[in-house]
Amino acid sequence: MTGVPENPAPTPPPDRHSPRRGARRAARAPGGRLGARCCRAVGEEARRVGRSLRAVVRGPGRERDLVVQSLKAAAAALLAWVVAKVWLGDPMALMAPWVALVMVQATVYSSLLRAGQQCAAIGAGTLLASGAQAVTGGTLSALALSLPVLMLLANWSRFGDQGIYGATTAVFTLATGSVSVASVGHRLWQTALGAVIGLAVNAFVLPPIHLRDVRENLAAVAREAGDVLCAVAGGLRGGDWDGGTAAEWSRGSARLERRLETLHSARRWSRESLRLTAGPLRALRRPPSPVPPETEDERWSRVTGHVRALTRTLAVAADQDRAPERPDSAVLRTYADLLELIARACHAESGRLLGADTADESGGGEPEAKRGELHRRLQDGLREHAGRAAAPVTVLGSLLLQAESLWAETVPGAASGAAPGRARGREGEAGPARDAEAEPASARDASPADPGPGSAPERASRPASDPATGPAPGPLSGPASRTAAE
């Protein structure tokens, strides 16, 4: 021993980030990941509830309609209980509010239909359970005898989604322990009473008329179509789009198709909500508000199809393993300007459907003049590409064809050669412009009174390389048309 004290072991410096690292390790654990996902799901659901509550307070809409229908169903059940239990003192008063609660459906017609189906199902369940009890003399054997038959009847299409009430009624009937003619009569009577009360409340207290949903969904289709076209135009103008960008455009068009399905569903609900209610409302001088005609649905269905075809073409063009050569960036920037012009027309149509003043956006001849200039530049680019290589012409010709179709469907007066600013497909009009959807927009630009040498019939019969008039101004012309067709 030298007496020299030994040096103590050096202590590690404190880890200031250890709590954070521990939190990250906990988050990476399976239980931590599950908890994080649950928290995100709960937060997202809370935000949705908050948006719905704000929509209820903000004004009329789907959310407020749901609140009204829910309160009507609760009021119908309370009224049925008061009538059956308090006023009549019926021992089977439970059946009346139960049936009344289910009778408040989304439309008066569906309430009447469900009333008949549920009364028939409950009657079948009560009678079969009572008969099985009388035959077997025991609850278990009566259930074993009646439930298989009732469950088979529940799948009968005539009962709709009300067939299951036959089996549940049989269980309730046999669970009471006493089955008699009087109890069966009370149960059927209370079922009819609840159906009448529920149907009356739904029909006479703020009857549901689903007309607003059609207009809102139609405007949403127009708005989302414009959003997709704006996104495509921005990507093409930037020039750095790839397969991932094209996939995002395809997802946008898929969302547009789902919105179109929602529009078709809203249209069906609109037609059903006017059954049995349109006549009484007119008699009370409260006629239902007009809705856009169904031809508008057809028009925006075609627009959705063109947008879908456009995004598919771009997705193929972005795939280096499948696609031919892309067009030049300058031509794609011009095409982006055309798509942006069409997108503005879609947004203007959306505002018109919601009652906004869109005269400044869609009126006047400036959009048509700008479209004509862009179309001319794209035709020049198409001919230039056709003179160099055939591969880019396929992509550009397909894109130009879809843009021409979109312009003819979305811009007021473009398809019929009407005066600028005249809205096509207006509510209550026959919409003759939509009858000519297959005719190219360039062929419709000519005046029908003076066909001249550039009329559509003559252009159709004249070769594309006619030196007298030059290439035809359709979506595809000259050698480009032959290459794109191939």
Side-chain angles (χ1 to χ4, degrees):
M1 298 294 292
T2 61
V4 179
E6 298 179 0
N7 292 329
T11 58
D15 190 356
R16 292 177 297 176
H17 302 287
S18 56
R20 189 179 302 172
R21 290 178 180 174
R24 285 200 296 265
R25 284 195 297 268
R28 285 195 295 267
R33 289 196 297 268
L34 179 60
R37 286 197 296 267
C38 290
C39 290
R40 286 195 298 269
V42 171
E44 180 63 26
E45 193 63 28
R47 286 190 290 272
R48 289 178 182 174
V49 172
R51 288 194 296 267
S52 298
L53 291 177
R54 288 193 296 271
V56 170
V57 176
R58 186 166 53 245
R62 179 177 178 272
E63 291 79 7
R64 182 175 288 187
D65 293 342
L66 292 176
V67 171
V68 170
Q69 287 299 102
S70 301
L71 295 178
K72 284 169 58 177
L78 291 175
L79 180 60
W81 176 261
V82 169
V83 173
K85 188 67 176 180
V86 179
W87 293 354
L88 301 179
D90 197 289
M92 297 293 178
L94 172 65
M95 297 298 297
W98 178 23
V99 175
L101 193 66
V102 182
M103 285 302 102
V104 182
Q105 297 288 325
T107 64
V108 175
Y109 175 79
S110 62
S111 292
L112 182 62
L113 181 63
R114 298 299 187 278
Q117 291 173 338
Q118 190 171 100
C119 288
I122 290 177
T126 302
L127 295 176
L128 280 176
S130 302
Q133 175 78 5
V135 170
T136 61
T139 302
L140 181 59
S141 55
L143 285 173
L145 183 62
S146 61
L147 285 182
V149 178
L150 290 171
M151 288 306 299
L152 289 174
L153 288 176
N155 296 316
W156 190 20
S157 60
R158 297 295 183 182
F159 283 126
D161 57 355
Q162 306 296 310
I164 190 62
Y165 288 105
T168 56
T169 301
V171 174
F172 291 152
T173 300
L174 296 173
T176 57
S178 61
V179 178
S180 62
V181 176
S183 65
V184 171
H186 280 290
R187 194 177 298 275
L188 295 178
W189 156 244
Q190 290 304 311
T191 299
L193 177 63
V196 170
I197 291 176
L199 183 59
V201 168
N202 200 32
F204 297 111
V205 179
L206 300 176
I209 305 295
H210 299 277
L211 304 181
R212 189 186 308 110
D213 291 345
V214 174
R215 185 178 298 275
E216 291 177 352
N217 279 284
L218 194 57
V221 170
R223 182 181 63 252
E224 292 181 13
D227 293 343
V228 174
L229 293 177
C230 279
V232 174
L236 295 180
R237 187 176 290 110
D240 55 350
W241 56 286
D242 53 10
T245 309
E248 181 61 32
W249 297 337
S250 296
R251 285 191 290 270
S253 63
R255 288 192 296 269
L256 180 61
E257 290 179 338
R258 290 194 293 271
R259 173 64 73 175
L260 185 65
E261 294 173 1
T262 305
L263 169 63
H264 294 329
S265 176
R267 180 69 71 175
R268 290 191 295 269
W269 280 109
S270 172
R271 287 195 296 264
E272 184 175 305
S273 65
L274 291 176
R275 300 180 70 174
L276 307 178
T277 57
L281 287 176
R282 291 191 180 94
L284 296 173
R285 295 183 179 180
R286 293 175 52 195
S289 58
V291 296
E294 295 191 24
T295 50
E296 287 286 282
D297 300 359
E298 299 171 2
R299 177 163 74 106
W300 288 103
S301 296
R302 294 192 294 269
V303 170
T304 301
H306 294 316
V307 172
R308 184 63 168 166
L310 189 150
T311 55
R312 284 176 178 170
T313 302
L314 291 173
V316 172
D319 190 350
Q320 297 180 354
D321 297 332
R322 300 171 52 196
E325 183 183 351
R326 296 184 188 179
D328 291 342
S329 299
V331 176
L332 289 180
R333 283 194 294 270
T334 304
Y335 186 74
D337 294 338
L338 180 58
L339 290 186
E340 192 171 295
L341 193 65
I342 299 172
R344 286 202 295 269
C346 292
H347 290 151
E349 285 287 282
S350 176
R352 178 185 68 81
L353 289 166
L354 294 177
D357 185 9
T358 59
D360 295 338
E361 301 178 47
S362 59
E366 183 179 353
E368 177 62 32
K370 186 175 181 181
R371 198 277 311 181
E373 173 63 20
L374 293 173
H375 179 80
R376 184 189 61 77
R377 290 162 56 187
L378 287 171
Q379 288 289 334
D380 293 341
L382 195 63
R383 285 191 290 269
E384 181 182 353
H385 281 78
R388 291 182 303 175
V393 178
T394 305
V395 177
L396 185 57
S398 177
L399 293 176
L400 186 55
L401 180 62
Q402 299 303 330
E404 287 290 320
S405 301
L406 284 169
W407 179 267
E409 294 291 348
T410 57
V411 177
S416 59
R422 174 186 170 187
R424 58 191 294 271
R426 296 292 186 182
E427 299 163 15
E429 295 181 356
R434 287 182 296 277
D435 296 336
E437 64 164 315
E439 185 181 358
S442 55
R444 289 189 295 269
D445 291 340
S447 172
D450 183 17
S455 62
E458 187 172 345
R459 285 197 304 269
S461 59
R462 188 174 57 233
S465 57
D466 189 347
T469 59
L476 302 176
S477 60
S481 61
R482 294 188 296 272
T483 307
E486 293 172 359

